[in-house]
Amino acid sequence: MKKLAVLGMGVCIALAFSSCKSSESAYKKAYEKAKQQELAEPQTTAPAEEVAPVVTAPVEVKVVESAPAGMRQEKVTVVSGGTSLKTFSVVCGAYSVKANAEGVKQALVNEGYTAMVVYNAERNLYRVVIGTFDDRASAENLRDSFKAKHPSNDDFQKAWLLYSVN
């Protein structure tokens, strides 16, 4: 029985190899035909034209205020927990589902933080903000103390500063 199976597989393999067409592909044939046509056409080169120098007008440079180093600048709107953001805010989490952000906010409010949820429409993310300040040093102090208070929470260890321009 095994001999018959091996013989059958051998016949199938032999048929598979014998049914193959030539090893040249249609792409290769088309490429060679195009090359022959290209060589058959006379090569003419256009005379070089004299190019006049281009004179450009002065460009007005606009300085756009960007976030200071180590911060992100995003356009966000307050969803819950507050009325407005100050210049520097501490963000401790980002969620695509509003209910998840609200749950984290509530847990942080229970811990004593003045947490709020803000929405970034460009990225479609809800950010949880634990504090907002007019000066950078206060925001950095809150971020650092927050990380120190939650050393085992990897998400909270990624807390960062948000720079808002009104």
Side-chain angles (χ1 to χ4, degrees):
M1 187 69 174
K2 289 183 182 178
K3 289 182 182 180
L4 187 59
V6 171
L7 180 63
M9 287 191 337
V11 170
C12 289
I13 291 173
L15 286 174
F17 283 118
S18 66
S19 67
C20 292
K21 294 184 180 179
S22 71
S23 63
E24 287 188 48
S25 69
Y27 296 110
K28 185 176 180 183
K29 288 179 184 178
Y31 174 77
E32 289 175 354
K33 184 177 179 181
K35 269 296 202 190
Q36 288 175 355
Q37 288 177 350
E38 186 179 293
L39 293 175
E41 293 176 0
Q43 298 291 327
T44 59
T45 57
E49 294 182 23
E50 196 170 309
V51 178
V54 177
V55 178
T56 60
V59 177
E60 181 181 336
V61 177
K62 292 183 180 180
V63 177
V64 177
E65 186 174 349
S66 64
M71 293 187 203
R72 295 186 208 169
Q73 181 177 350
E74 295 181 353
K75 184 177 181 180
V76 295
T77 55
V78 177
V79 175
S80 69
T83 56
S84 65
L85 293 178
K86 295 181 180 175
T87 307
F88 300 94
S89 301
V90 179
V91 177
C92 68
Y95 305 91
S96 59
V97 178
K98 182 180 177 187
N100 293 346
E102 290 289 344
V104 171
K105 179 197 88 159
Q106 190 57 48
L108 292 170
V109 167
N110 294 342
E111 285 186 31
Y113 292 99
T114 56
M116 65 179 77
V117 175
V118 297
Y119 180 66
N120 180 335
E122 184 177 298
R123 295 181 183 216
N124 195 26
L125 286 174
Y126 295 92
R127 308 270 193 206
V128 178
V129 173
I130 58 170
T132 183
F133 303 93
D134 287 323
D135 63 302
R136 181 177 180 167
S138 298
E140 288 174 340
N141 287 339
L142 177 62
R143 179 198 60 202
D144 296 341
S145 66
F146 180 76
K147 286 181 175 184
K149 188 174 181 180
H150 300 93
S152 61
N153 189 326
D154 290 337
D155 291 334
F156 288 170
Q157 290 300 310
K158 297 174 187 171
W160 51 276
L161 297 183
L162 172 68
Y163 178 72
S164 302
V165 177
N166 297 334

